Amino acid sequence: MTSILGLHHVTAIASDPQRNLDFYAGLLGLRLVKRTVNFDDPETYHFYFGDEVGTPGSILTFFPWPGARSGRQGPGQVAVTSFAILPAALGFWIERLVGHGIKHEGPVKRGSSPAETEQVISFRDHDGLMLEIVAHPGAEARPAWANAPGISRERAIHGFHGVTLWVEKGEATEKILVDTLGLRPVREEGSTRRFAAGDGGPGSLVDVRTTGGFVRGVGGAGTVHHVAWSVADDAAQLVVRERVHTAGLNPTPVIDRNYFHSVYFHEPGGVLFELATNPPGFTIDEPLERLGERLMLPAQYEPRRAEIEAVLPQIHLPVPVSDASFFADTTGPEDVSGDALGFVHRYIPPIAGAELAGSTTLLLLHGTGGDEEDLLPLGRALLQGAGMLSPRGKVLEGGAPRFFRRLREGVFDQEDLARRTEELADFVKAAAKTYNLDPNGIVAVGFSNGANIAASMLLRRPGLLRGAVLLSPMVPFVPASAPDLTGTTVFIGAGRADRIALPVQAERLAELLRQAGANVTLHWEAGGHALTDSEVRAAREWLAQLVMGRTDGPPVARGQAPVR
C-alpha cells in the first residue's frame, strides 16, 4: 500500500517576525531556507526553517502576524513539536536554554525498553509554542544544518523527532493514521499512543494523546496551524488522496505551493492534515548556498513586489559564521537578541523609506528594573522609522537589571562603572559592525541609570556617540581631564522636584559636558523622577533637529523654561 513516508513539515503561527527569526535561526540554529509570503495574505511573511536544504521532516514554518493574539493549546491541534538531537548533545542544549533565559523542564526519560528510551527537554518559544528536544541515537541518520553560528553539527538539531496530537477521543484519529495513511502503532504510555511511518526513526513519529473533555484549542500565536505528511511524488499523493476521500474526509484538490504540492483535510479529531510532495524542493528558485537570503514571491504577487516589500517588517538573520572571530572575547554570535555581542538585546532595523531617520540608530538604555523591551515605545515616539538597539543591563540589584553597581542611592561603584562603560562601548562597536549601522548616526537615549551610563560613555569614549538624550541623569564621575566632545550634541531632561537625580546634578552634568565642547540643551520639567509628555515632545523636536543637522546653534541656557 502506498503510504506516507513520515513528517514533511509543521506550520505554526507567531507574532513578531524578528523574534521568531531570532529564536529559530538564532537560538535553535535552524537554517532559514525560505522567506516568502502567505499565499492567502501576501502582506504576511511565511518563514521556512529546516536543515541545509529543507529536507522533508526538518521543516518548521511560521506565519508571523505582528500583534497576533495568543492562541490556546487544546484538543484538535498538534500540541507539541519535537526536535531530534544526538544523546551526546543533551548537556549542550540544557546549557544553551539556561544561558538564553529559556525556562525548561527535564530532561526526563520516556520509553519502557532500551531501544525506545528517549531523554526529553520541554520548553516554549516566545509565543508559547510547545516544543521538545529529544535525545535519540536514531537522530544520526537524519541530516542537520552544520553552519549554524555557535552550534556544531554534532550538537545541531537533526530535523523532527515527531509531533504530539491532542484529540478528545483517539480511536477515530488512530484509525485514519493506520488505515488511511499507513502508519503502524508502536507503543502506548498512559493516555498516549505512538504511531510510526517508514523506518520508525526520528521524523516518522506521531503521538496521539487522548485528552477527554478538555477545552478545545483555539488558534493564534503560539499554536500549530497544521501538520504535513510526506509523500514521494505527485502520483503517490493522488493515491493517498483517494483513500482520504474514500474515508469521507473531503480532501481539497491538489494545490501548488511552489516548493511542494499540497492536499489538505481535517482528521476526525479536528487536526488539519496536509499531504505534501517531496519535490520540487526549495532550490527551485534559489541556489543552495543562498537559500533564505531574499524575499521570494509567488508568481502572482511578483508585480506587487515593491508594494509588498514596503509593508513587510524589516528583518535580519543571526550573525554569520564568518564573523565569529570578531566576537571571540564575548559570549558568541549565535543569537542576535540573546546574549550575542556580550549583552541580551533587541535590534530593530530602520523602516524602509524613512529618509533621514533611517540612518540613525537609537541606543536605548533603560533605568533600574527595565530590560531590552522597556524603552522601545519611547524610541518609536522620539524618531519614527529609526533603527533601535536596546541592550539589557547585566548588573542585578535585588533582581532588577542595571548597567552598573551602586554602593547606595546616589553613590556609584566607580570601578564597576568604568568597566561596565567600556563593556557597553565595545558592544556598541560590535553591533555597528554586525548590523551594518552608520557609526556616525548612533544616538543614546537613556533614562536614570541608563542616562548615567550614557553620560559615562560620552566622557570616557568621546566620538562613539553622535549625541545623547539623557533623561533624569546624574553626574556619573568627573574625569581628570576634559575629553574633546566637539561636534557632540546632548539633550538633558530634568525635573525641578526630582528627589533622586537632584536638579543640581543635571546642572553640573550640563556644565561638565559644555566644558568638554558639547552642545547641550537643558530642558526643565516641574515634576520629579519620571518622563512627561512635554519632555518627550521637547526631546523629539531636539532629535529631529539633530537628524537634519540643525543643532549647531547656541546651547540653551540653564534655567530655560520647558519647551511646550
Side-chain angles (χ1 to χ4, degrees), residues 9 73 108 189 235 248 287 289 292 346 420:
H9 68 266
Q73 286 90 5
V108 297
E189 290 188 56
E289 63 275 10
R346 291 290 308 279
R420 301 293 182 179

Side-chain angles (χ1 to χ4, degrees), residues 290-436:
R290 306 304 294 272
L291 286 177
E293 292 187 5
R294 64 185 297 264
L295 180 68
M296 307 305 296
L297 295 177
Q300 65 268 32
Y301 296 129
E302 193 60 50
R304 296 177 52 194
R305 174 173 287 273
E307 172 192 344
I308 291 171
E309 288 183 335
V311 171
L312 291 172
Q314 294 289 306
I315 57 172
H316 57 85
L317 285 170
V319 182
V321 172
S322 59
D323 285 343
S325 61
F326 183 75
F327 309 107
D329 296 326
T330 70
T331 52
E334 57 266 15
D335 182 359
V336 293
S337 58
D339 56 4
L341 319 186
F343 280 80
V344 173
H345 68 280
R346 291 290 308 279
Y347 172 64
I348 298 177
I351 295 174
E355 298 178 349
L356 291 173
S359 62
T360 300
T361 300
L362 300 182
L363 174 65
L364 302 175
L365 304 170
H366 61 78
T368 300
D371 61 20
E372 67 277 16
E373 308 286 339
D374 201 40
L375 295 189
L376 293 177
L378 176 62
R380 294 188 182 98
L382 289 178
L383 189 60
Q384 188 68 36
M388 292 186 288
L389 179 66
S390 184
R392 183 196 303 174
K394 297 168 70 173
V395 173
L396 294 180
E397 183 181 274
R402 284 176 52 86
F403 285 100
F404 59 90
R405 291 182 63 239
R406 58 183 172 184
L407 304 178
R408 59 182 183 275
E409 187 72 57
V411 180
F412 303 149
D413 182 331
Q414 290 296 325
E415 182 178 345
D416 189 65
L417 171 61
R419 181 166 67 89
R420 301 293 182 179
T421 300
E422 294 299 320
E423 188 178 55
L424 184 60
D426 289 343
F427 162 76
V428 172
K429 291 182 64 177
K433 176 179 174 67
T434 303
Y435 303 127
N436 196 28

Side-chain angles (χ1 to χ4, degrees), residues 8 234 256-261 277-285:
H8 187 282
D234 292 332
D256 186 352
R257 295 304 194 194
N258 283 9
Y259 311 111
F260 43 85
H261 301 150
T277 59
N278 284 357
F282 294 102
T283 57
I284 190 173
D285 56 3

